[in-house]
Amino acid sequence: MPATPQRRRTVRRLTIGAAVLAAAGLTATALPAGADTGHAARAGRTVDVQLLSFNDFHGNLEPPQGSSGTVEEVQPDGSKKSVAAGGAEYLAQSLRTARKGHPYSVTAAAGDLVGASPLLSGLFHDEPTIEAMNKLGLDVTSVGNHEFDEGRAELTRLQKGGCHPKDGCYEKGKKFRGAGFPYLTANVTDEKSGKPLLKPYTVWKHKGVKIGFIGVTLEGTPDIVNADGVKGLKFHDEVETINKYAKVLNKQGVKSIVALIHEGGLPASTSYNYQCDSPGPGDGISGPITDIAKHVTPKVDALVTGHTHQAYSCTIPDPSGRPRTVTSAASYGKLYTDTTLTYDRRTRDIVRTTVKTPHAANHVVDRTQPKAADMTSLITRWNKLAAPVAGRPVGHISADIAGRGANAPESPLGDVISDAQLEATKADGKGGAQLALMNPGGVRSDLAFKASGSEGDGVVTYGEAFTVQPFTNMMNVVDLTGAQLLTGLQQQVSGPNEASPKILQVSEGLAYTLDMTKSGAARVVKDSVKLDGAALDPAKTYRVAMNEFLAGGGDGFAAFKDGKNKYVGPSDLDAFTAYLTAHSSADKPLTPPKADRITVVK
């Protein structure tokens, strides 16, 4: 277990609510106000079930680099500390240590175990990650949007096993066995049959204890995944789906239910041990999950969430007013959540009542603990297969270049990537692009100066570049009028992106002002948009480079779907590695850009 006082704190048991007391034939005065279930437990009526959970692992078998591999921790004196965390060797060890002394323990995840993965997993279509999840004892997970990156057939293969239809088997004499745990797709149905793609729910059973798990991904998955990945599928409302299957489980006699939801919230603090129930339950968190939590039926006893890559452990009242835990464990295996569910054997339900203290806590997967030997062996084995590709040098940098870890709308690495995409597509015959736009969610990591292996400090390997740009989206160049381009820029901060802006990374030569004191589309100052020093002309046609995801209207950028005269260029990864090679050397490494193309007014 982690060493700091915050991470040693005991997870309190859920307490007995009036409904449970009534079901047991007791009155609300039978126990002191605020009393926990200790008395009932000693009488043999209740049992504590440990729920360990995590989310958004994204194939990070090795410890993530740079800021992607740290969590922020509030110290007793109020100061903040950055702690290195993550990696399958440490996650497995943390979970195994946490399970000790808990005869009833179940491990669950809330989606995006795979997809947007570093090369070690992504090169092999994430088979290494599924193997790792089997070994560390995962019992169940919901799907996330990234489980659909390669389409329904590939997701089904990850569940059921079998070698890849094109690449075949990666190890002689070994056939991929698939996930030893169920992927739940309650709100993902086949357009023709109307049936869920995979199982909608599962029931965990142990020594007479039954807990149902319902798994959903965000309803908006089609908006953030390439169209081919969700072809033939429908994605339904999260609340309606969970409430539907909660009734199904109740009819089967399963009264204890946990929802695994690949949708999340935004806590007021980035510190993993921030108290988000201050000043009142759930006051310190906002975002889509808050509305979901307030409407999911009281039949559901806890919500394990994800997608936003944030850390929180909150108590948001359910529709009946009873407290209910809502948790998320950041991303990349840097945290796990330990929740105690007190199971009443007589009512077969989880015991809940109004208390102020959260019933769950996040814990750091720190790298000072011993490594899980079986994970080390797994990583070594797959690294040997990946080495010929992963270790090839593709560039040199003079310092860390922040991407995913940048705390600003425009990131230095985002500038490098958009410049690379422009360079790859600007020549006549290669698209004739005049500018390039990059979606921020496609920048998956930082470029770290410190060597990750034996390549030496400042050397960027193909594997590291792949970690930054793992989707291998093809570059598109399209015609957009100045008016369409302006609309696209406005869609960064309006419509579906108003509450949580998605600021595009822009190539050199494009500049504008973003006024965040305003609301909606007005945040983009129209007269400030310039290309190579000239004001954007609404009637003029511009050649704009972007990846195929953006060109298809992904991330809420519907304006880009109207682009004409499409040219398909190289992959975004090829553009990125070619740029690094052309613009850096051991003697002249690439320096981090200033990231000053977008002026932000706060």
Side-chain angles (χ1 to χ4, degrees):
M1 293 291 287
T4 66
Q6 288 77 19
R7 286 173 278 151
R8 283 201 303 262
R9 61 188 178 183
T10 302
V11 179
R12 301 189 183 182
R13 289 173 294 186
L14 301 180
T15 51
I16 295 181
V20 174
L21 290 170
L26 301 174
T27 66
T29 57
L31 289 174
D36 68 14
T37 58
H39 176 75
R42 285 191 294 274
R45 172 172 159 178
T46 64
V47 60
D48 284 345
V49 178
Q50 179 189 58
L51 171 62
L52 300 176
S53 59
F54 58 94
N55 51 276
D56 295 275
F57 185 74
H58 288 291
N60 278 263
L61 297 170
E62 296 178 298
Q65 284 198 310
S67 59
S68 295
T70 63
V71 292
E72 184 180 85
E73 178 181 87
V74 177
Q75 302 299 297
D77 62 0
S79 62
K80 296 179 180 179
K81 176 183 177 182
S82 181
V83 181
E89 295 160 303
Y90 303 108
L91 177 61
Q93 187 65 29
S94 291
L95 294 175
R96 290 164 183 170
T97 300
R99 290 177 188 131
K100 292 179 179 178
H102 295 275
Y104 296 84
S105 184
V106 57
T107 303
D112 277 8
L113 296 179
V114 302
S117 305
L119 185 135
L120 178 59
S121 186
L123 184 64
F124 306 106
H125 299 280
D126 283 309
E127 290 182 19
T129 293
I130 298 299
E131 182 182 348
M133 294 296 109
N134 288 340
K135 288 180 178 293
L136 63 74
L138 184 63
D139 292 299
V140 59
T141 184
S142 68
V143 288
N145 54 288
H146 281 286
E147 263 81 20
F148 295 92
D149 284 348
E150 295 189 48
R152 62 188 294 177
E154 177 61 7
L155 171 57
T156 302
R157 186 183 76 89
L158 291 180
Q159 176 71 87
K160 298 182 178 180
C163 297
H164 192 269
K166 291 184 178 179
D167 295 346
C169 299
Y170 296 111
E171 297 176 284
K172 187 176 181 179
K174 289 187 178 181
K175 182 180 179 181
F176 176 56
R177 299 176 63 181
F181 50 88
Y183 259 114
L184 304 182
T185 61
N187 70 330
V188 186
T189 61
D190 181 270
E191 284 185 348
K192 294 181 179 180
S193 70
K195 296 180 179 179
L197 177 62
L198 299 173
K199 294 176 64 173
Y201 62 86
T202 192
V203 179
W204 178 82
K205 302 175 183 178
H206 186 63
K207 296 181 180 179
V209 173
K210 296 181 180 181
I211 298 179
F213 288 88
I214 302 167
V216 299
T217 185
L218 68 154
E219 184 182 8
T221 290
D223 298 327
I224 54 176
V225 175
N226 275 329
D228 287 345
V230 294
K231 187 176 181 179
L233 299 173
K234 284 189 175 181
F235 292 76
H236 304 274
D237 182 83
E238 303 94 334
V239 173
E240 292 178 3
T241 302
I242 293 169
N243 291 351
K244 169 186 173 181
Y245 284 107
K247 290 180 181 178
V248 172
L249 284 167
N250 272 193
K251 288 181 179 179
Q252 295 178 6
V254 179
K255 306 297 183 181
S256 300
I257 302 172
V258 175
L260 307 176
I261 309 173
H262 192 71
E263 178 62 289
L266 302 170
S269 169
T270 55
S271 299
Y272 84 89
N273 55 346
Y274 162 71
Q275 174 53 272
C276 62
D277 282 340
S278 178
D283 286 344
I285 188 171
S286 60
I289 199 61
T290 59
D291 188 58
I292 291 173
K294 291 174 183 176
H295 291 89
V296 164
T297 174
K299 298 178 188 296
V300 174
D301 299 294
L303 310 182
V304 176
T305 74
H307 187 56
T308 57
H309 290 207
Q310 301 298 308
Y312 47 84
S313 176
C314 304
T315 304
I316 301 177
D318 67 21
S320 72
R322 291 195 298 164
R324 182 163 57 190
T325 59
V326 180
T327 65
S328 174
S331 61
Y332 304 159
K334 294 180 291 188
L335 300 174
Y336 71 91
T337 310
D338 191 334
T339 304
T340 299
L341 304 174
T342 299
Y343 183 89
D344 189 316
R345 291 185 181 276
R346 186 179 300 177
T347 65
R348 293 173 291 175
D349 204 352
I350 300 301
V351 183
R352 291 193 282 138
T353 190
T354 302
V355 291
K356 295 182 179 179
T357 306
H359 316 303
N362 280 320
H363 300 274
V364 177
V365 176
D366 70 270
R367 301 180 197 167
T368 61
Q369 63 185 313
K371 297 179 181 180
D374 57 340
M375 291 297 163
T376 302
S377 177
L378 180 151
I379 290 170
T380 300
R381 195 178 93 243
W382 286 103
N383 261 330
K384 185 177 180 180
L385 292 174
V389 175
R392 177 169 60 88
V394 295
H396 299 77
I397 56 176
S398 64
D400 289 352
I401 303 182
R404 192 80 172 181
N407 295 315
E410 179 185 356
S411 71
L413 190 52
D415 285 359
V416 172
I417 291 171
S418 55
D419 285 350
Q421 294 179 352
L422 175 59
E423 183 164 301
T425 56
K426 69 181 180 180
D428 291 338
K430 292 187 177 181
Q434 296 167 272
L435 68 144
L437 303 172
M438 174 64 194
N439 58 304
V443 184
R444 302 304 300 184
S445 185
D446 305 330
L447 279 183
F449 177 79
K450 185 178 180 181
S452 59
S454 60
E455 73 274 11
D457 290 346
V459 178
V460 181
T461 65
Y462 182 83
E464 290 166 341
F466 185 99
T467 298
V468 172
Q469 292 268 266
F471 297 110
T472 319
N473 280 318
M474 303 309 292
M475 291 304 305
N476 288 184
V477 184
V478 297
D479 284 347
L480 290 174
T481 65
Q484 290 173 318
L485 180 55
L486 177 61
T487 298
L489 293 177
Q490 291 171 333
Q491 287 172 347
Q492 300 174 108
V493 289
S494 63
N497 293 331
E498 182 165 3
S500 182
K502 292 183 173 66
I503 307 304
L504 298 169
Q505 308 301 287
V506 300
S507 58
E508 187 174 12
L510 183 64
Y512 70 95
T513 297
L514 191 62
D515 188 346
M516 298 305 289
T517 66
K518 299 180 180 179
S519 61
R523 289 170 169 173
V524 176
V525 181
K526 291 183 180 180
D527 296 339
S528 71
V529 184
K530 295 182 178 180
L531 180 61
D532 298 327
L536 191 69
D537 184 345
K540 184 177 178 180
T541 297
Y542 298 87
R543 293 289 286 166
V544 184
M546 63 187 79
N547 61 43
E548 59 186 321
F549 170 70
L550 267 183
D555 270 352
F557 291 95
F560 298 150
K561 290 195 295 184
D562 296 328
K564 306 296 183 183
N565 300 322
K566 181 172 71 174
Y567 171 86
V568 179
S571 73
D572 51 8
L573 178 60
D574 286 344
F576 183 44
T577 56
Y579 184 87
L580 291 172
T581 300
H583 291 271
S584 69
S585 66
D587 295 333
K588 294 183 178 180
L590 184 68
T591 59
K594 295 180 180 179
D596 57 0
R597 299 166 188 179
I598 304 172
T599 301
V600 181
V601 178
K602 298 181 180 180

